[in-house]
Amino acid sequence: MKIHLFGYSNPVGQAFLDLFSNKKNNINLYSKKDKNVNYLDLENNVIDLSLKIGKPAVLVSFAPIWLFSSFLERLERQTSLLRNVDMIICCSSSSSVTKRYSFNQFDKELSKSLYNSEEIIKNLSFKNNIKCKIIKPALIYGNVGKFKDKNINLIKRAICLLPFLILPNKSGLRQPIHAKDLATFVYSLIKNKKNQLNNPDILIGGVETFTYIEMLERIRSKLP
């Protein structure tokens, strides 16, 4: 079984790679920037015919799901490589569910984009008899290697730079999950793919749940 990893230039991708430190031959990496791995531009309208995905293959993506779903559509339309894929695991966001009925237009559009991308991947998987898991984390945090999360680190900068923060009265609950925990969960899905529920959608979070303001207070307490 060969794992093909897309979107590894982020904390979760790096944490996932660390789990294969002794099994580098089991994983293929793709990037449009890193010259040391297979070149692939997910936004390119034409699939490079040199792309090789042998059977059986597992596709794992931590790239933006709207780019990955478009890539899979082109992969099916322009090649026969999807026939070699046994399983697809990709990362989306819980926003596809939680922000669907938001009053904020930006949130509604984000939710719609995420949901449409998820449906494309699920339909392609069903059509080609591929196992499919779409992971929907609530909020990812944690730095791995040189890569920093774009959630907590942004909040830290705001707290340090701004004299005060304006927050809505009702900000809802958060259940952050560390990048390493999310990567470990994805790894476990691959190892135990025969013993899984049929539902492709997996909402996931950390062990603690707290309000947005409580989260800010925790972050502030750790700062100088």
Side-chain angles (χ1 to χ4, degrees):
M1 178 185 65
K2 196 80 169 183
I3 297 171
H4 301 263
L5 179 59
F6 306 85
Y8 67 90
S9 300
N10 54 63
V12 185
Q14 287 300 301
F16 185 77
L17 269 179
D18 289 344
L19 297 172
F20 288 87
S21 58
N22 298 323
K23 302 176 183 178
K24 293 291 186 181
N25 293 333
N26 289 352
I27 189 164
N28 279 350
L29 303 180
Y30 299 89
S31 171
K32 66 177 181 180
K33 296 180 180 179
D34 190 344
K35 296 180 180 180
N36 297 316
V37 302
N38 301 293
Y39 175 81
L40 180 68
D41 184 355
L42 291 178
E43 298 181 80
N44 194 332
N45 288 325
V46 179
I47 297 294
D48 188 342
L49 295 180
S50 66
L51 179 65
K52 295 181 180 179
I53 299 178
K55 188 174 184 178
V58 175
L59 306 188
V60 178
S61 174
F62 301 116
I65 192 170
W66 51 89
L67 296 182
F68 186 60
S69 63
S70 296
F71 165 73
L72 290 180
E73 284 186 305
R74 294 192 297 275
L75 192 67
E76 184 194 45
R77 188 166 60 246
Q78 299 176 25
T79 75
S80 60
L81 293 177
L82 273 185
R83 298 175 185 173
N84 297 333
V85 177
D86 184 50
M87 187 177 193
I88 293 175
I89 304 175
C90 60
C91 196
S92 182
S93 168
S94 62
S95 294
S96 64
V97 178
T98 59
K99 295 184 177 180
R100 188 173 301 174
Y101 304 106
S102 171
F103 291 106
N104 184 293
Q105 189 60 34
F106 176 82
D107 287 345
K108 290 174 69 174
E109 290 299 323
L110 172 62
S111 176
K112 183 178 179 181
S113 175
L114 292 169
Y115 176 80
N116 289 341
S117 299
E118 292 168 5
E119 289 301 300
I120 288 172
I121 294 173
K122 285 189 281 189
N123 290 334
L124 282 173
S125 299
F126 179 78
K127 180 180 176 182
N128 292 277
N129 196 29
I130 299 171
K131 300 181 186 72
C132 174
K133 297 296 174 184
I134 297 178
I135 317 301
K136 303 180 183 182
L139 187 150
I140 304 171
Y141 74 96
N143 304 327
V144 181
K146 65 179 180 179
F147 297 100
K148 297 183 177 182
D149 74 70
K150 297 180 180 179
N151 295 312
I152 303 302
N153 285 289
L154 183 63
I155 294 173
K156 285 181 179 178
R157 288 199 297 270
I159 292 175
C160 290
L161 293 174
L162 300 177
F164 57 85
L165 299 177
I166 298 175
L167 301 172
N169 186 37
K170 296 181 179 180
S171 56
L173 298 174
R174 298 296 187 275
Q175 196 175 3
I177 183 169
H178 197 281
K180 291 183 178 180
D181 292 332
L182 181 55
T184 301
F185 177 73
V186 172
Y187 183 77
S188 71
L189 288 178
I190 297 172
K191 290 188 66 177
N192 304 306
K193 61 182 180 179
K194 292 183 178 180
N195 302 313
Q196 294 176 14
L197 298 175
N198 292 326
N199 190 351
D201 299 300
I202 302 177
L203 284 164
I204 189 170
V207 295
E208 290 189 271
T209 301
F210 33 74
T211 67
Y212 191 71
I213 293 176
E214 287 173 336
M215 184 175 75
L216 292 181
E217 290 174 341
R218 286 194 181 199
I219 294 171
R220 183 180 62 176
S221 69
K222 302 293 183 181
L223 295 174

